[in-house]
Amino acid sequence: MRFLELRQKEVINCRDGCRMGFVSDLEFDACTGQICQIIIPGPGKFFGCLGKNPEFCICYNEIVRIGADIIIVDVEPEVTKERCKIDKKHN
């Protein structure tokens, strides 16, 4: 699978159903070439005009499944709680 294909997939937490966003970057192990983490940009502050919150870094072992359209991850709900609050305000 290519990086461009991963960037088109939405990341969803299976513990609380929160939509975390889309993959923006990957972190690789330089020695082995394996993916260590996927990186998802943090939610924007005040409609994205005042910068962004810190990004989400999801370890590769927290990925449950990579499907055709989405990536399912298993992370603590506290990690995604702030993101879900912001998403609900904009919907």
Side-chain angles (χ1 to χ4, degrees), residues 24-43:
S24 66
D25 204 358
L26 300 174
E27 182 179 309
F28 288 93
D29 182 334
C31 296
T32 63
Q34 294 181 341
I35 298 172
C36 298
Q37 295 182 342
I38 60 173
I39 300 170
I40 304 162

Side-chain angles (χ1 to χ4, degrees), residues 55-72:
E55 57 209 11
F56 297 117
C57 295
I58 310 290
C59 292
Y60 189 76
N61 62 354
E62 294 176 323
I63 297 174
V64 176
R65 181 72 123 191
I66 298 176
D69 297 326
I70 62 172
I71 299 173
I72 305 290

Side-chain angles (χ1 to χ4, degrees), residues 59-88:
C59 292
Y60 189 76
N61 62 354
E62 294 176 323
I63 297 174
V64 176
R65 181 72 123 191
I66 298 176
D69 297 326
I70 62 172
I71 299 173
I72 305 290
V73 297
D74 186 8
V75 295
E76 292 293 325
E78 290 78 29
V79 173
T80 61
K81 186 180 289 185
E82 192 65 30
R83 179 54 157 289
C84 286
K85 285 181 189 174
I86 292 170
D87 284 346
K88 287 178 184 173

Side-chain angles (χ1 to χ4, degrees), residues 13-27:
N13 187 5
C14 69
R15 290 195 189 187
D16 60 0
C18 181
R19 298 168 64 181
M20 299 179 69
F22 292 84
V23 176
S24 66
D25 204 358
L26 300 174
E27 182 179 309

